[in-house]
């Protein structure tokens, strides 16, 4: 492809967003209109943690409903794109020095299909996932993200799917509840770091104290953003697809880079 693909970070929040129509879902649904159609999509999802880094390589990836207690409407939502074995092999080759391995023991979790059902509802683009290595620190994930940047020139759209702020322990069950002050503070701090390429602030987010501790009580929803920061080039323009917080403590902020 002559044009380098952008990279996306999509705040995914509650699985219910997959079947809702709101400002957030409308915004992410419109976000791909001006993006060249990808050859394939690589999703780095908060919902696949492993010891080591793995890439799915099945040509018929299983749709994983990795949640419970939700309405039947959500379990009836089908998203079944083809897998992308050949693209997975390209990525594995690109990352061979990082001990990244192929696997067919995972499919598409809701961190992937719940957002892709809005971004690419036809499901006509091959999709595969890369896991989050629980053994790696923030710098590890950032450096691995940097190694993925070459894929942008191969027609692969890379999507990080998580949440900048994700605290389920003190969330408000009202999706439209007023955001906590600390949640807005941390969300704005990280957005500024992306816009101004202050990647050290993203990697070492804990240094700002209380708002970071409350916003990122566990790392898995934050780490996909670190990958996207790693892929960001000097010349990349940053556009906010959506900016906002649901349930008082769940950032839906979604970003296009490039």
């Amino acid at each position: 492809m002559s044009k380098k693909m952008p990279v996306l970070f999509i705040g995914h929040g509650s699985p219910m967003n997959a079947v809702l129509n709101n400002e957030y879902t409308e915004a992410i649904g419109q976000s791909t209109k001006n993006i060249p159609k990808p050859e394939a999509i690589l999703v780095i999802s908060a919902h696949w943690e492993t010891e080591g880094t793995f890439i799915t390589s099945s040509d018929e990836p299983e749709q994983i409903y990795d949640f419970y207690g939700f309405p039947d409407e959500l379990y009836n939502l089908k998203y079944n794109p083809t897998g992308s074995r050949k693209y997975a092999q390209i990525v594995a080759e690109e990352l061979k020095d990082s001990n990244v391995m192929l696997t067919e023991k995972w499919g598409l979790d809701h961190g992937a299909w719940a957002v892709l059902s809005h971004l690419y509802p036809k499901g006509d683009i091959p999709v595969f996932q890369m896991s989050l290595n629980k053994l790696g620190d923030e710098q590890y994930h950032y450096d691995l993200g940097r190694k993925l940047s070459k894929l942008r020139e191969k027609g692969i759209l890379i999507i990080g799917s998580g949440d900048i702020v994700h605290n389920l322990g003190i969330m408000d069950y009202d999706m439209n509840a007023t955001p906590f002050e600390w949640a807005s503070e941390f969300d704005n701090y990280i957005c500024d770091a992306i816009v101004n390429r202050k990647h050290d602030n993203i990697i070492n987010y804990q240094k700002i104290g209380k708002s970071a501790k409350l916003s990122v009580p566990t790392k898995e929803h934050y780490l996909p953003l670190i990958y996207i920061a790693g892929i960001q080039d000097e010349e990349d323009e940053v556009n906010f697809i959506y900016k906002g917080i649901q349930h008082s403590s769940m950032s839906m902020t979604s970003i296009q880079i490039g």
Side-chain angles (χ1 to χ4, degrees), residues 41-50 54-66 79-84 88 102-114 116 126-132:
I41 298 169
L42 170 61
V43 180
I44 302 166
S45 165
H47 294 280
W48 188 25
E49 292 184 281
T50 52
F54 293 85
I55 297 170
T56 58
S57 60
S58 172
D59 273 330
E60 294 183 354
E62 174 192 359
Q63 183 177 0
I64 304 169
Y65 297 90
D66 49 334
Y79 193 81
N80 300 118
T82 59
S84 43
L102 295 173
T103 183
E104 294 193 8
K105 291 183 178 178
W106 195 254
L108 299 180
D109 58 56
H110 82 271
W113 61 259
L116 290 172
V127 181
F128 60 119
Q129 287 194 210
M130 189 168 87
S131 71
L132 297 173

Side-chain angles (χ1 to χ4, degrees), residues 16-253:
M16 283 304 296
N17 282 295
V19 293
L20 294 178
N21 182 26
N22 53 36
E23 285 185 4
Y24 157 76
T25 62
E26 287 181 12
I28 67 168
Q30 292 295 316
S31 67
T32 55
K33 296 291 190 289
N34 296 315
I35 294 176
K37 186 173 181 178
E39 296 279 331
I41 298 169
L42 170 61
V43 180
I44 302 166
S45 165
H47 294 280
W48 188 25
E49 292 184 281
T50 52
E51 293 189 358
T53 301
F54 293 85
I55 297 170
T56 58
S57 60
S58 172
D59 273 330
E60 294 183 354
E62 174 192 359
Q63 183 177 0
I64 304 169
Y65 297 90
D66 49 334
F67 44 74
Y68 58 91
F70 286 88
D72 289 346
E73 182 184 11
L74 195 54
Y75 299 95
N76 292 333
L77 179 61
K78 304 300 179 190
Y79 193 81
N80 300 118
T82 59
S84 43
R85 189 190 305 272
K86 70 174 183 177
Y87 294 103
Q89 290 169 340
I90 290 170
V91 177
E93 179 63 25
E94 192 71 47
L95 300 178
K96 65 182 179 183
D97 294 337
S98 301
N99 297 316
V100 173
M101 295 159 279
L102 295 173
T103 183
E104 294 193 8
K105 291 183 178 178
W106 195 254
L108 299 180
D109 58 56
H110 82 271
W113 61 259
V115 298
L116 290 172
S117 61
H118 292 294
L119 296 171
Y120 294 101
K122 292 180 182 176
D124 58 349
I125 300 168
V127 181
F128 60 119
Q129 287 194 210
M130 189 168 87
S131 71
L132 297 173
N133 182 358
K134 292 188 288 187
L135 306 178
D137 62 10
E138 286 82 357
Q139 189 68 49
Y140 166 88
H141 295 289
Y142 178 82
D143 292 342
L144 196 54
R146 290 228 57 74
K147 293 179 181 180
L148 292 173
S149 60
K150 292 178 185 175
L151 302 177
R152 298 173 65 183
E153 296 165 8
K154 300 179 187 291
I156 297 175
L157 176 64
I158 302 170
I159 300 175
S161 178
D163 299 284
I164 293 173
V165 177
H166 185 268
N167 191 327
L168 295 181
I170 51 178
M171 65 176 275
D172 191 310
Y173 282 90
D174 178 2
M175 186 174 271
N176 299 311
T178 302
F180 291 120
E181 191 172 323
W182 51 262
S184 296
E185 176 190 329
F186 187 75
D187 196 54
N188 290 333
Y189 175 81
I190 296 301
C191 288
D192 171 75
I194 283 284
V195 169
N196 295 297
R197 296 193 84 260
K198 301 174 186 174
H199 289 177
D200 182 64
N201 288 0
I202 296 169
I203 296 167
N204 299 301
Y205 62 92
Q206 300 100 326
K207 69 184 180 184
I208 69 163
K210 184 180 177 182
S211 67
K213 194 169 184 178
L214 288 167
S215 298
V216 190
T218 55
K219 294 180 186 179
E220 75 286 341
H221 278 77
Y222 183 79
L223 289 177
L225 186 277
I226 290 185
Y227 278 85
I228 299 309
I231 299 167
Q232 182 181 18
D233 287 333
E234 288 281 356
E235 70 277 6
D236 282 332
E237 187 179 335
V238 176
N239 289 294
F240 288 94
I241 296 166
Y242 182 81
K243 199 166 186 318
I245 292 174
Q246 293 179 347
H247 298 289
S248 295
S249 63
M250 206 175 291
S251 169
M252 306 305 294
T253 295

